[in-house]
């Protein structure tokens, strides 16, 4: 049974979410993904959120652009943790979605991550961190992910220093 749901407001958001699915696969996590719109399919959004806990979900990730109410609407109907990813679109490049997602009224929180592709990755990593609180194996995988990430940055620095040395800089 998947514990993570990834909902997008439109299939047009899918391309920006690739990094999220890559990380989910890397961690070998099952997930459910749906296109559900707060505005275009509001009844489905409410129904999904109301049944999410009973359906075994522990975290819900919502990606939406423009007047991005998806995460807020989902959060209104469940006490599960909801993570919002503001999607970038014309003409405001995601600033509209960022404000719509992050500026929740007190009482109904949405954990809002970075806008766009970086946010998609961070949303999944945050969801994993939440699940890892009660899953030691997942916590170990998350620590390993961080260790490898640190190594790759150190390797990049080392390679940069080598290149600079070759140029006598
Ligand atoms: C939002 O409106 C979606 O999440 C998407 O980011 C944006 C545009 O949707 P489409 O017109 O591409 O379906 O609801």
């Amino acid at each position: 049974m998947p514990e993570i749901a990834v909902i997008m407001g439109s299939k047009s958001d899918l391309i920006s979410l690739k990094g999220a699915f890559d990380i989910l696969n890397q961690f070998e996590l099952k997930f459910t993904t749906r296109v559900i719109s707060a505005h275009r399919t509001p009844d489905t959004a409410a129904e999904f959120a109301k049944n999410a806990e009973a359906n075994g979900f522990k975290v819900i990730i919502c990606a939406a652009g423009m007047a991005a109410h998806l995460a807020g609407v989902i959060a209104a109907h469940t006490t599960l943790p909801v993570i919002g990813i503001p999607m970038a679109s014309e003409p405001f490049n995601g600033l509209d979605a960022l404000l719509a997602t992050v500026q929740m009224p007190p009482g109904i929180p949405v954990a809002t991550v970075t806008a766009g592709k970086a946010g998609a990755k961070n949303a999944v990593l945050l969801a994993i961190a939440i699940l890892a609180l009660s899953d030691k194996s997942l916590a170990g995988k998350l620590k390993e992910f961080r260790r490898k990430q640190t190594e790759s940055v150190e390797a990049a620095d080392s390679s940069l220093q080598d290149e600079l040395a070759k140029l006598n800089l």
Side-chain angles (χ1 to χ4, degrees), residues 116-168:
K117 292 177 182 173
K121 292 180 185 173
N122 277 351
V124 166
L125 289 169
L126 182 55
I128 289 170
I130 291 168
L131 296 179
L133 289 171
S134 55
D135 182 334
K136 279 192 179 163
S137 155
L138 194 55
K141 284 185 181 178
L142 186 55
K143 284 184 170 55
E144 180 62 9
F145 175 92
R146 288 284 189 97
R147 194 189 60 73
K148 283 186 181 157
Q149 183 170 252
T150 301
E151 266 182 15
S152 85
V153 174
E154 287 168 351
D157 180 49
S158 196
S159 135
L160 173 66
Q161 300 313 319
D162 289 349
E163 284 170 36
L164 292 174
K166 278 180 202 153
L167 296 168
N168 290 321

Side-chain angles (χ1 to χ4, degrees), residues 8-10 12-13 37 39-40 63-66 87:
M8 60 201 89
S10 167
S12 66
D13 297 319
S37 166
H39 305 114
R40 294 161 174 163
M66 306 188 79
M87 292 281 98

Side-chain angles (χ1 to χ4, degrees), residues 14-120:
L14 183 60
I15 191 158
S16 303
L17 298 178
K18 189 186 171 297
F21 297 120
D22 287 346
I23 294 174
L24 284 164
N25 287 332
Q26 200 177 323
F27 278 79
E28 298 175 322
L29 284 170
K30 287 190 169 49
F31 58 90
T32 290
T33 187
R34 299 276 307 272
V35 174
I36 300 176
S37 166
H39 305 114
R40 294 161 174 163
T41 59
D43 293 341
T44 308
E47 191 191 343
F48 182 91
K50 283 177 188 168
N51 296 324
E53 195 172 347
N55 284 334
F57 293 111
K58 292 193 173 161
V59 192
I60 306 175
I61 296 170
C62 299
M66 306 188 79
H69 295 134
L70 181 60
V73 165
I74 295 291
H77 292 288
T78 181
T79 52
L80 291 174
V82 175
I83 302 171
I85 314 167
M87 292 281 98
S89 59
E90 293 293 329
F92 299 114
N93 292 324
L95 185 57
D96 44 359
L98 171 63
L99 293 176
T101 306
V102 77
Q103 282 293 84
M104 288 296 291
I108 307 292
V110 166
T112 306
V113 294
T114 330
K117 292 177 182 173

